[in-house]
Amino acid sequence: MVYTAESDPLCYPGTTVLRNKLGLQNQDDLDEAELALFLIRADEEFPYGRLDYPHYMALHHHLFQDVYEWAGQPRTIRIGKSGNWFCYPEYIDKQMKAAFAFLERLNFLMDMLPPEFASNAAHILAEVNAIHPFREGNGRTQLAFLYLLTDNAGLPFGAEELVRERVLDAMIQSFDGNERPLADLIMDIISSTQ
Ligand SMILES: Nc1ncnc2c1ncn2[C@@H]1O[C@H](COP(=O)(O)OP(=O)(O)OP(=O)(O)O)[C@@H](O)[C@H]1O
């Protein structure tokens, strides 16, 4: 996804292409390789963890370790999308700790009725999206983490509900303070019978 970014030391000089382990300096080539390598890692077993902040970072590392040196590490520059600026990097650590403390207080969303699970999971995802801890790969890490939350709660995960436009619209609305579409989407995901 294209970001509004400040001059970025993570990019090859004079470009908006992120430095990568493959040495690819063309964005289309990088997109293609990144997706292929991500899909291989997404198919593997995810790292074990406590559904906490370190686990979230480990998940990103797992998914993007073949592409970026900084996989699993928070970004250091300010970024935004379509006029929405995400958490300034100096506050990422504090905000992530707060989001994951909330999740722990809710006992990681276990033993909840589906609508309660959906609205709380939507809130966690909305928070983590507004923080946007990584320079790239946030959306895919969010959805991988949602899968871990459903799995831990013994709920199904209907991946067929993940229609790109619907996910994007729900995330953007959550950024603007309306978490309802995201909760409805999660409700459909966990109601899946496929
Ligand atoms: N204008 C916006 N405001 C808030 N959130 C947005 C906006 N545009 C996209 N997003 C969210 O940002 C996330 C995508 O972040 P990023 O591009 O870092 O992840 P990705 O995994 O590389 O991309 P994608 O999710 O598109 O595959 C998604 O959750 C998306 O819904």
Side-chain angles (χ1 to χ4, degrees):
M1 252 233 178
V2 178
Y3 276 103
T4 313
E6 300 168 302
S7 158
D8 188 349
L10 286 186
C11 290
Y12 292 106
T15 77
T16 54
V17 182
L18 285 165
R19 292 178 196 271
N20 55 84
K21 289 186 172 182
L22 308 153
L24 298 171
Q25 300 198 26
N26 174 284
Q27 189 64 51
D28 290 341
D29 294 344
L30 174 58
D31 287 346
E32 196 178 321
E34 185 202 82
L35 181 60
L37 292 167
F38 159 81
L39 287 172
I40 292 169
R41 292 296 181 181
D43 216 30
E44 293 178 353
E45 198 171 327
F46 288 166
Y48 180 75
R50 292 189 60 247
L51 297 173
D52 56 6
Y53 176 27
H55 194 189
Y56 196 82
M57 306 314 265
L59 191 55
H60 184 274
H61 178 267
H62 174 78
L63 296 172
F64 294 100
Q65 61 185 306
D66 306 308
V67 190
Y68 302 117
E69 289 290 347
W70 45 264
Q73 294 171 29
R75 67 185 156 82
T76 56
I77 63 156
R78 295 179 181 183
I79 58 172
K81 282 186 195 216
S82 314
N84 289 342
W85 284 91
F86 300 114
C87 182
Y88 286 177
E90 54 272 40
Y91 302 117
I92 288 176
D93 193 56
K94 189 173 171 206
Q95 295 301 321
M96 287 293 278
K97 283 178 178 155
F100 282 89
F102 173 78
L103 181 61
E104 186 165 1
R105 278 199 302 281
L106 294 180
N107 196 25
F108 306 99
L109 316 189
M110 284 189 290
D111 304 319
M112 287 181 173
L113 293 171
E116 198 187 351
F117 176 96
S119 59
N120 283 302
H123 184 63
I124 294 288
L125 249 54
E127 287 290 309
V128 171
N129 186 56
I131 302 168
H132 238 70
F134 309 110
R135 180 64 185 79
E136 170 79 26
N138 291 279
R140 284 167 281 177
T141 308
Q142 289 160 12
L143 296 178
F145 190 72
L146 178 64
Y147 165 75
L148 290 180
L149 283 177
T150 59
D151 192 49
N152 184 63
L155 294 165
F157 187 85
E160 74 281 357
E161 299 293 336
L162 295 173
V163 177
R164 196 169 173 77
E165 296 70 34
R166 185 177 177 194
V167 176
L168 182 62
D169 177 68
M171 294 307 301
I172 292 177
Q173 289 210 53
S174 80
F175 191 94
D176 293 334
N178 177 13
E179 294 175 6
R180 195 68 252 160
L182 187 53
D184 289 345
L185 170 63
I186 294 172
M187 194 64 197
D188 289 347
I189 290 171
I190 63 177
S191 304
S192 169
T193 51
Q194 286 195 9

